[in-house]
Amino acid sequence: DSGVTQTPKHLITATGQRVTLRCSPRSGDLSVYWYQQSLDQGLQFLIQYYNGEERAKGNILERFSAQQFPDLHSELNLSSLELGDSALYFCASSVVERGGIQYFGAGTRLSVL
Amino acid sequence: GIQVEQSPPDLILQEGANSTLRCNFSDSVNNLQWFHQNPWGQLINLFYIPSGTKQNGRLSATTVATERYSLLYISSSQTTDSGVYFCAVDHSNSGNTPLVFGKGTRLSVIA
């Protein structure tokens, strides 16, 4: 168990819908990262927050947004869903802002039908 | 951006055999991690190894940062070792710290 909790484990929804994925980092970790794993793109970084502030942005679509709350949990919001958004979404956390070991949650498997 | 190449892409082993997985990266890195993704999709941390050598049971890893490669050794493989092994690095020269993943090595261990 990595100590990073992601909910829900599975999500099935329809095109055009909006969903929210939740992540609770390990106790004491201030950085939260979101990654997407799809069959065609592999594992890709989406966005990072550190202590409530956005720190880095990767290949995140404009339809996607995220935030980190004062209690350090994070949410990833995906809207106007398309079939191609079906993927495994991982959250990771680390203690430091840069360079530290990242611990990954079990992921949320999103299926858009 | 930094390139991460893993080899071989696929590997089939008989239970009890040893194997070496390789990860080449194109620039200096702050962080290098090896992960095992099991058949249920979970990403399990194996090693945090930006340089040097570490061992954990039947697994060991070596990173030669000056030559920009890392090796993961699996000895006496078991069927539970099956899955995909990923190498991921964070780029020293980038202001960002996301991990860049290789495409992985898919390992199948046969009883």
Side-chain angles (χ1 to χ4, degrees):
Chain A
D1 183 4
S2 68
V4 179
T5 304
Q6 289 189 248
T7 57
K9 286 187 168 47
H10 302 275
L11 203 44
I12 301 174
T13 188
T15 55
Q17 295 299 304
R18 173 189 166 94
V19 297
T20 297
L21 282 53
R22 182 187 169 104
C23 169
S24 294
R26 293 188 328 146
S27 177
D29 284 1
L30 299 178
S31 266
V32 169
Y33 306 80
W34 287 97
Y35 293 84
Q36 178 195 58
Q37 184 178 30
S38 61
L39 282 175
D40 54 345
Q41 297 291 328
L43 264 156
Q44 289 196 103
F45 166 71
L46 295 178
I47 196 163
Q48 178 203 359
Y49 281 83
Y50 177 79
N51 205 19
E53 295 191 7
E54 184 184 303
R55 277 292 184 259
K57 227 168 179 175
N59 297 323
I60 187 166
L61 300 171
E62 284 192 13
R63 300 183 285 107
F64 295 0
S65 64
Q67 55 184 324
Q68 186 180 28
F69 294 86
D71 66 353
L72 300 177
H73 91 271
S74 178
E75 293 181 356
L76 179 67
N77 300 297
L78 315 177
S79 61
S80 303
L81 285 167
E82 301 175 0
L83 296 177
D85 297 327
S86 296
L88 195 47
Y89 291 85
F90 287 104
C91 168
S93 74
S94 71
V95 170
V96 295
E97 182 178 353
R98 296 183 175 192
I101 185 170
Q102 293 185 28
Y103 295 91
F104 280 69
T108 293
R109 190 174 296 278
L110 174 66
S111 299
V112 182
L113 305 179
Chain B
I2 193 168
Q3 305 297 314
V4 181
E5 293 182 3
Q6 292 187 242
S7 59
D10 296 281
L11 191 55
I12 301 174
L13 295 176
Q14 203 72 35
E15 201 169 26
N18 302 328
S19 61
T20 301
L21 281 56
R22 186 176 181 103
C23 171
N24 292 333
F25 43 96
S26 60
D27 206 341
S28 55
V29 297
N30 281 327
N31 172 9
L32 188 147
Q33 291 183 238
W34 282 98
F35 296 90
H36 174 215
Q37 187 166 37
N38 63 24
W40 296 270
Q42 291 179 306
L43 270 176
I44 299 162
N45 269 310
L46 297 177
F47 294 101
Y48 169 79
I49 187 164
S51 64
T53 298
K54 290 187 178 178
Q55 177 146 14
N56 184 3
R58 296 181 296 103
L59 302 182
S60 64
T62 294
T63 297
V64 183
T66 52
E67 297 187 23
R68 297 181 186 163
Y69 73 88
S70 183
L71 301 174
L72 178 68
Y73 305 97
I74 304 174
S75 64
S76 304
S77 57
Q78 301 175 358
T79 55
T80 51
D81 294 331
S82 295
V84 183
Y85 289 80
F86 289 102
C87 166
V89 302
D90 113 47
H91 191 189
S92 289
N93 296 329
S94 162
N96 299 331
T97 58
L99 289 176
V100 177
F101 283 79
K103 293 189 188 310
T105 292
R106 184 174 298 276
L107 174 64
S108 300
V109 181
I110 303 168

